[in-house]
Amino acid sequence: MVHFMGAKHRKIAYFSMEIGLKNEMPTYSGGLGILAGDTIKASADLGLPLVGVTLLNRRGYFMQELDEEGTQTEHPQEWSPADYMELLPAEVTVLIKGHDVKVQAWLYEHHSLTEEVVPVLFLDTDVEGNSLDDRKITDSLYGGDRSYRLKQEIVLGVGGVRMLDELGFKITKYHMNEGHSSLLGIELLRRNGMSVDKVKELCVFTTHTPIESGHDVFSHDVVAELIGENSDLETLKKYGGEHQLNMTLLGLNLSNYVNGVAKRHRQISEKMFPGYKFSSITNGVHSYTWVCQHFRDLYDTYLPGWANEPELLVRVRSIPDNEIWDAHKRAKKDLIDYANAECGVGMNYDTLTIGFARRFTEYKRPTLIFSDLDRLRKVNEAGNIQLIFAGKAHPRDIMGKVLIERIFEYIDELKGEIKIAFLENYNMELGLKMVSGVDIWLNNPKKPLEASGTSGMKAAHNGVVNFSVLDGWWLEGCVEGVTGYSIGPKPEVDKSPEQVEMIELDDLYNKLEYIMIPKYYCRKDEWISLMNNSIEMIAYYFNTHRMMHRYVTEAYL
Ligand SMILES: *Cc1c(COP(=O)(O)O)cnc(C)c1O
């Protein structure tokens, strides 16, 4: 056994299929991974005795290349783990398809501003002695077929628990961030004499998925093939579903504390899984990570200590308005310069700029604003607007890829009228540039499919005004006309999906034309007030410091 320094004092293990800690480590695909990274960072700031467990994703979540038509090509983003982490001399094995697969771990240490450290273990099967196939298990995030995914989940769940043991950790809470790591429950059952009550005491489960089809499921054929026709299979049927293995169900059945990631998401989850009791802890973002340099400087001057106590942002009005505006103008210049250099669109510094960046997939409706081009033109006549887009489509998300191409078609169609840029290769760095550099952050997913959403919280941290449908976190963050604007009706209205979309489009165009454009161009003081409110009433609350305080007091202790 290799004893890892301080291991026995780290009580909480945080498991996540993806963790996004820094831009140079492409081990995340989107919101789930960024949230996990922000969780690690806030835990370090707060000095929590936590250790992260994830997979190495050696081939990196991909580099996106777009041709003139917006057709996406994916390239592996090779990176060298040794540049950022240390390979530990520990090894464990997991049984897959009747043979042992060796698992090793890379140690990444996240050092916080408060000089605390949280270790993160990146599990890796590229070990000498493993077959060529097995060496690739930890290569590709969400790559491969169902069998590949289940192998990854065996390594994460079972291998993760064994690795923690091997390193001398004495874990008292296992936090599963989404169902990908639920197999850890099987390992814990074995070592606790199959006592479900004991295991439930040890486990915390957070679900992120508000739709049935979004849950991770495996046919029992695949499960039997990889895990074997033994007592484990019976256990998995008992706790994870008779007809197929549902990883969410498995997590739910083996955890005493279960939560959704926003109040609305809790309601949806309770409807989806009747009989289970959910709590809700609304997501946050790591404030320091998601504030651009210009605003960091400002907060440092007027609100010292804000980074480790984001509640201080509630005092944003101690900063003079003109300094808020200047910091925003600088952040906007950085983005516009970048967009002009990348796309040659000739965007202006003074034009109202709307940003949209996230995973490209159907439910996020990235082309919604183009639904009625004549109304969009009319909006633009009321006061010029320019639009900046970014986002990757998952390699197998055909519709997501088509949506990128559609944006390129609209760029062509509106040429000479509205300046539109699509920035390639959305990642953490570009994300920060965008959430700090636009004036309005647009988010219009189809309800109720956004469990929480976090990019709008990042925007608010930089005084950028949110304009979003009332779903996920925005139901809690939106005070109409004060912290930003809503698109469409509240979720409880009794209307057909078509009617809802009509109201959404009306709001989208009308609020831009009649409320936001006049404020932005003619009543700058009122606009700056919206910016202040975003920081004072959103950023001070929707951060991972508040979120982790909740996890500690409700779930971990
Ligand atoms: C914050 C972030 C996301 C999540 O954005 P949502 O709008 O909440 O879906 C995805 N990708 C990256 C790179 C991010 O920084």
Side-chain angles (χ1 to χ4, degrees):
M1 189 185 281
V2 183
H3 274 280
F4 175 79
M5 228 177 52
K8 66 178 190 297
H9 302 296
R10 299 213 164 254
K11 303 292 182 202
I12 308 151
Y14 181 81
F15 280 68
S16 184
M17 184 75 133
E18 45 173 313
I19 302 188
L21 285 153
K22 58 200 293 169
N23 201 53
E24 296 75 24
M25 289 166 37
T27 56
Y28 62 92
S29 80
L32 185 74
I34 301 290
L35 175 80
D38 284 6
T39 297
I40 300 291
K41 291 173 188 174
S43 299
D45 291 338
L46 297 169
L48 300 182
L50 183 138
V51 52
V53 181
T54 187
L55 300 184
L56 186 61
N57 302 320
R58 191 183 285 274
R59 277 165 69 84
Y61 196 69
F62 67 91
M63 281 274 270
Q64 178 192 50
E65 190 191 319
L66 298 173
D67 70 11
E68 268 123 71
E69 265 98 55
T71 305
Q72 171 179 295
T73 318
E74 302 97 28
H75 304 283
Q77 185 151 359
E78 299 285 353
W79 62 293
S80 168
D83 293 349
Y84 310 97
M85 5 190 174
E86 172 200 345
L87 183 59
L88 297 176
E91 201 177 277
V92 298
T93 60
V94 292
L95 193 65
I96 297 178
K97 252 183 172 173
H99 66 274
D100 279 336
V101 174
K102 295 178 183 175
V103 182
Q104 62 185 11
W106 295 80
L107 168 68
Y108 176 81
E109 289 188 335
H110 175 76
H111 290 258
S112 77
L113 289 174
T114 52
E115 297 184 3
E116 302 276 352
V117 177
V118 164
V120 182
L121 303 173
F122 286 80
L123 304 175
D124 180 14
T125 58
D126 189 5
V127 183
E128 206 162 321
N130 279 345
S131 73
L132 224 52
D133 260 5
D134 289 344
R135 284 184 158 208
K136 292 183 187 148
I137 294 175
T138 51
D139 268 3
S140 306
L141 180 58
Y142 307 133
D145 56 10
R146 296 311 293 162
S147 163
Y148 183 76
R149 174 77 71 87
L150 186 57
K151 288 180 190 172
Q152 290 192 320
E153 298 190 9
I154 296 169
V155 171
L156 178 64
V158 180
V161 171
R162 291 183 183 169
M163 183 57 78
L164 288 169
D165 248 29
E166 179 67 17
L167 294 170
F169 286 90
K170 301 276 178 274
I171 300 299
T172 56
K173 284 290 176 210
Y174 294 84
H175 186 168
M176 298 169 248
N177 185 45
E178 192 52 297
H180 309 118
S181 53
S182 295
L183 288 175
L184 70 81
I186 295 302
E187 179 67 7
L188 294 179
L189 276 169
R190 274 188 214 123
R191 64 179 56 180
N192 286 282
M194 302 312 276
S195 160
V196 176
D197 287 341
K198 271 193 198 154
V199 171
K200 285 175 82 165
E201 263 308 299
L202 289 168
C203 291
V204 169
F205 181 74
T206 303
T207 169
H208 294 261
T209 319
I211 30 166
E212 207 68 62
S213 65
H215 294 275
D216 207 13
V217 293
F218 297 98
S219 76
H220 280 305
D221 291 344
V222 175
V223 178
E225 189 194 341
L226 298 189
I227 297 186
E229 289 279 4
N230 52 29
S231 58
D232 281 348
L233 198 58
E234 289 316 304
T235 314
L236 285 171
K237 281 188 175 161
K238 186 164 169 201
Y239 300 112
E242 195 57 41
H243 304 296
Q244 52 181 3
L245 172 58
N246 180 321
M247 301 303 276
T248 305
L249 199 59
L250 184 62
L252 291 179
N253 280 327
L254 297 179
S255 306
N256 267 352
Y257 185 90
V258 175
N259 73 293
V261 289
K263 293 189 196 333
R264 170 83 179 140
H265 180 228
R266 169 200 186 162
Q267 295 172 338
I268 304 267
S269 302
E270 285 185 340
K271 270 207 204 107
M272 225 174 349
F273 294 96
Y276 292 88
K277 193 183 160 310
F278 290 75
S279 303
S280 79
I281 298 181
T282 304
N283 284 162
V285 298
H286 186 250
S287 300
Y288 185 78
T289 300
W290 295 109
V291 170
C292 71
Q293 193 57 49
H294 307 295
F295 271 91
R296 280 183 187 172
D297 292 344
L298 205 53
Y299 297 159
D300 280 345
T301 307
Y302 288 93
L303 307 166
W306 68 277
N308 198 38
E309 212 178 330
E311 299 94 313
L312 287 173
L313 296 172
V314 81
R315 300 191 53 232
V316 64
R317 283 197 154 75
S318 59
I319 307 175
D321 276 0
N322 65 316
E323 294 195 38
I324 296 268
W325 185 246
D326 282 348
H328 174 64
K329 272 199 344 203
R330 281 195 284 271
K332 188 170 175 182
K333 180 175 183 301
D334 290 347
L335 174 65
I336 301 284
D337 286 346
Y338 180 78
N340 286 342
E342 290 285 302
C343 306
V345 273
M347 288 196 170
N348 307 317
Y349 299 136
D350 296 326
T351 301
L352 178 61
T353 304
I354 301 172
F356 182 105
R358 48 188 54 83
R359 196 156 52 85
F360 261 61
T361 193
E362 198 167 13
Y363 90 82
K364 301 269 197 185
R365 298 191 297 184
T367 56
L368 190 75
I369 196 169
F370 301 113
S371 302
D372 186 337
L373 291 186
D374 284 333
R375 283 181 80 181
L376 187 62
R377 289 188 175 101
K378 188 161 165 276
V379 167
N380 187 53
E381 278 158 25
N384 276 337
I385 55 170
Q386 54 197 14
L387 306 173
I388 304 184
F389 288 87
K392 295 172 181 170
H394 185 279
R396 279 195 304 268
D397 185 349
I398 307 294
M399 194 56 207
K401 292 185 180 182
V402 167
L403 288 168
I404 299 177
E405 292 168 7
R406 292 245 172 93
I407 302 265
F408 275 64
E409 287 164 23
Y410 290 120
I411 292 178
D412 259 1
E413 194 160 348
L414 292 164
K415 197 157 263 166
E417 298 178 84
I418 301 175
K419 288 171 181 159
I420 307 168
F422 197 112
L423 301 175
E424 224 170 34
N425 210 33
Y426 185 48
N427 58 22
M428 289 178 75
E429 190 183 350
L430 179 56
L432 177 57
K433 246 193 205 87
M434 286 190 66
V435 294
S436 59
V438 299
D439 298 297
I440 294 174
W441 192 249
L442 178 66
N443 185 26
N444 46 235
K446 202 190 273 264
K447 288 182 294 200
L449 302 189
E450 186 94 305
S452 166
T454 53
S455 62
M457 304 173 188
K458 302 169 190 167
H461 271 79
N462 296 280
V464 167
V465 177
N466 274 277
F467 188 28
S468 172
V469 301
L470 288 168
D471 201 13
W473 81 278
W474 190 232
L475 277 163
E476 297 160 51
C478 180
V479 182
E480 183 71 16
V482 178
T483 58
Y485 296 92
S486 61
I487 299 170
K490 292 211 165 74
E492 53 271 18
V493 298
D494 188 21
K495 296 215 177 340
S496 70
E498 293 75 27
Q499 287 171 315
V500 168
E501 187 166 316
M502 281 216 329
I503 304 174
E504 286 169 340
L505 285 175
D506 275 342
D507 274 0
L508 183 54
Y509 296 122
N510 290 343
K511 287 185 185 179
L512 278 174
E513 179 174 352
Y514 300 114
I515 302 176
M516 301 172 87
I517 286 176
K519 256 196 217 294
Y520 183 83
Y521 283 112
C522 308
R523 301 196 296 276
K524 197 62 87 192
D525 55 324
E526 287 181 25
W527 189 265
I528 296 173
S529 188
L530 285 170
M531 297 175 68
N532 270 300
N533 292 344
S534 297
I535 300 164
E536 178 188 314
M537 299 167 76
I538 296 177
Y540 98 101
Y541 181 83
F542 291 96
N543 54 68
T544 38
H545 279 68
R546 184 260 322 153
M547 184 187 88
M548 288 318 287
H549 280 125
R550 294 271 315 269
Y551 275 108
V552 170
T553 52
E554 289 173 35
Y556 297 163
L557 289 183

